[in-house]
Amino acid sequence: MKKLILIVAIVALAGLAGCARNSVPKAMEDFCANLQALDNATAQLEQLTPDSTVRDVKRARDGVADAWRKVTRSAGNLAEARVGSIEDAVRDLERTVDSVSNRDTVAEAAASISASADQVRIAVADVGAVTCPDLA
């Protein structure tokens, strides 16, 4: 019985660890690095010459395919991190609104609510924005 409880606890902890989100900056860094690797792999295909072998072509093609898989995986992580940042901003907005006293006027609460609402809008706008400064 103790072994079963221990196994269930380990599986539960492993599941929780798997649910941890990447931070947006880390996810962006990984995505950009993978985009750069895809660009580099594609450049290798362009550098093939008439003297290149079929093996060279297939290796270059495999490099592009591998780089593309990494791009798509990191894009999913980036989207998940960004949606997570929206979720965090929405929760903060809800906490801000909930913290307003029924005795307060709208004018008294407007500044903090507006600031929290701005954070939600920034997080939403950031979902589609990708800038990779080192991408050639």
Side-chain angles (χ1 to χ4, degrees):
M1 185 66 161
K2 288 182 181 181
K3 284 184 181 179
L4 179 61
I5 293 171
L6 181 60
I7 291 171
V8 170
I10 290 171
V11 169
L13 288 174
L16 289 174
C19 292
R21 291 192 289 241
N22 277 342
S23 69
V24 174
K26 171 70 172 124
M28 179 71 86
E29 178 183 320
D30 292 346
F31 179 71
C32 288
N34 289 328
L35 274 179
Q36 184 64 57
L38 176 62
D39 187 57
N40 293 344
T42 304
Q44 287 182 350
L45 266 174
E46 292 175 343
Q47 294 173 3
L48 294 172
T49 67
D51 295 328
S52 298
T53 65
V54 171
R55 178 179 286 169
D56 295 335
V57 173
K58 288 182 178 181
R59 279 188 187 147
R61 178 214 49 208
D62 291 347
V64 170
D66 183 52
W68 176 244
R69 279 190 295 277
K70 290 177 181 176
V71 166
T72 58
R73 194 174 317 126
S74 62
N77 292 340
L78 178 59
E80 182 179 309
R82 286 187 166 173
V83 169
S85 70
I86 294 171
E87 181 180 357
D88 294 343
V90 168
R91 284 186 182 152
D92 182 57
L93 175 61
E94 289 172 348
R95 281 191 295 270
T96 301
V97 171
D98 289 345
S99 71
V100 175
S101 168
N102 288 335
R103 294 184 187 105
D104 290 341
T105 65
V106 173
E108 292 170 329
S112 60
I113 291 172
S114 179
S116 290
D118 284 346
Q119 291 306 308
V120 172
R121 295 187 76 209
I122 289 168
V124 168
D126 191 42
V127 166
V130 176
T131 303
C132 298
D134 295 332
L135 192 60

